[in-house]
Amino acid sequence: MSATTTGAVARNTNDIPWNKHVRQKKTPAEWAVDFVIVLLLVFTVVAVLYPLWFVVIASFSNPNAVAGGEVSLLPKGVTFAGYAKVFTNHRIWQGYLNTIIYSVVGTAVNMAVTIPCAFALSRREFKPRRVIMFLFTVTMFISGGLIPNYLLYKALGINNTMWVFILPGAVSVYNVIVARSFFETSIPEELHDAAQIDGLSYFGYFFKIVLPLSSAILAVIGLYYFVGHWNDFMTGLIYITDDSKQPLQVVLQQLLLVAQGTGTNVNAAAQQQAADQIKFGIIIVSTLPLLVLYPFLQKYFNKGVMLGAVKG
């Protein structure tokens, strides 16, 4: 009897399609679907990674080889002349320092304003939250425009200062909505009830319970803010006229324009090739810090994107 039962159990277990101990048999149609999916994934990865790889190898390849289409997978005629011209310019280092300051301070201010704001708007007992959220959302679609903003910043006296990068975008409505959704769906209300029983105020509950449980979403929002400050080009171009306060993006753009210049017909081709090499070097210089930073935040980023998407 026991042998029969064991055999039946074994047969039933083998029939379970998700049994990890049994190799599943696929039909030709399933193999075809798997092949198409793998093919699309490989194509997508190549389409995303190859342009970046080409820029890397072209940045230290011979400009003549790059212009002649001889560089495709591996560098040819290795030379670092483009990087030398980029890094020997003292404005590059000043722009790096300015951008690091703007990005770090700006992200800190953004987080200090966004997270408490999102937490307050997530509390159901906060009656004006719907009105405030409506006013926040309206500003996403309606703004004064460039000229009124310039006049406002000039009246506030923040043009040509660090604060023109920080104060106008201190709160991102999108990030407030994301953080608010996370607090509403991923932080159990029972934790607040337990905190009240223990005598914690809203501030104590926020700092001692909510923030430690929100490391993933904090990392994601912080990365969004940091990348936004790092890539901010228009603010420095429009509101900063002092060269010593220009961010890295504006400095690199000016350096590229100088490198292209206006040459004679005789050396125009060589000058354009040198400018192209400097252009590739500038791309690497401006994106390398983010490429280095992202792997350390990837685990939080992958987790934080899904947080708040499903309740439970």
Side-chain angles (χ1 to χ4, degrees):
M1 180 67 180
S2 60
T4 304
T5 305
T6 303
V9 172
R11 285 194 299 272
N12 291 337
T13 303
N14 292 337
D15 291 339
I16 298 176
W18 54 83
N19 187 355
K20 64 180 180 180
H21 300 293
V22 178
R23 186 174 181 178
Q24 303 299 319
K25 295 181 180 180
K26 295 184 179 180
T27 64
E30 292 175 335
W31 281 109
V33 171
D34 290 346
F35 175 77
V36 172
I37 292 175
V38 172
L39 188 64
L40 290 176
L41 289 176
V42 171
F43 176 78
T44 303
V45 170
V46 172
V48 171
L49 293 183
Y50 179 74
L52 178 61
W53 173 247
F54 177 80
V55 170
V56 172
I57 61 178
S59 65
F60 55 84
S61 295
N62 188 299
N64 295 326
V66 176
E70 302 176 16
V71 177
S72 56
L73 295 178
L74 296 175
K76 187 173 183 180
V78 176
T79 174
F80 294 94
Y83 286 105
K85 292 180 180 179
V86 171
F87 286 109
T88 52
N89 192 318
H90 72 280
R91 291 192 61 200
I92 290 289
W93 301 107
Q94 184 63 46
Y96 249 114
L97 178 61
N98 291 339
T99 299
I100 290 174
I101 293 175
Y102 300 156
S103 300
V104 173
V105 177
T107 301
V109 172
N110 293 145
M111 297 297 289
V113 176
T114 300
I115 302 304
C117 177
F119 174 72
L121 293 175
S122 69
R123 303 307 304 168
R124 292 181 175 84
E125 59 269 27
F126 183 53
K127 301 302 181 183
R129 67 176 189 146
R130 295 188 180 276
V131 176
I132 296 176
M133 201 65 217
F134 171 77
L135 296 177
F136 274 8
T137 307
V138 168
T139 61
M140 292 179 61
F141 307 101
I142 302 175
S143 64
L146 178 61
I147 303 302
N149 286 342
Y150 183 87
L151 296 176
L152 174 62
Y153 300 162
K154 183 178 180 180
L156 294 175
I158 61 176
N159 283 350
N160 271 324
T161 67
M162 173 182 68
W163 301 109
V164 75
F165 291 92
I166 299 172
L167 295 182
V171 177
S172 168
V173 178
Y174 172 78
N175 288 331
V176 169
I177 294 174
V178 171
R180 176 199 174 201
S181 175
F182 169 79
F183 292 144
E184 287 182 340
T185 59
S186 299
I187 304 294
E189 186 63 23
E190 290 78 8
L191 290 178
H192 181 244
D193 298 336
Q196 285 184 317
I197 294 174
D198 291 339
L200 282 180
S201 62
Y202 275 110
F203 288 99
Y205 172 65
F206 175 71
F207 286 107
K208 294 182 179 180
I209 298 179
V210 174
L211 289 185
L213 294 175
S214 308
S215 59
I217 196 68
L218 294 180
V220 173
I221 294 178
L223 181 62
Y224 284 157
Y225 275 130
F226 187 86
V227 172
H229 287 295
W230 186 271
N231 292 330
D232 191 356
F233 171 73
M234 295 303 298
T235 300
L237 184 65
I238 297 173
Y239 303 110
I240 301 294
T241 57
D242 188 349
D243 290 342
S244 63
K245 298 178 180 179
Q246 291 284 9
L248 178 64
Q249 305 299 332
V250 176
V251 173
L252 295 179
Q253 182 255 0
Q254 294 176 353
L255 181 61
L256 181 60
L257 293 178
V258 171
Q260 290 178 339
T262 55
T264 63
N265 294 331
V266 177
N267 63 358
Q271 188 177 16
Q272 182 60 42
Q273 292 176 359
D276 290 340
Q277 190 177 36
I278 294 176
K279 175 178 66 178
F280 292 131
I282 285 174
I283 294 174
I284 299 301
V285 167
S286 60
T287 57
L288 185 60
L290 297 180
L291 293 177
V292 173
L293 177 64
Y294 180 76
F296 296 99
L297 298 176
Q298 183 179 9
K299 62 178 181 180
Y300 297 106
F301 185 81
N302 294 337
K303 182 179 178 182
V305 167
M306 295 303 298
L307 287 176
V310 179
K311 185 176 181 179

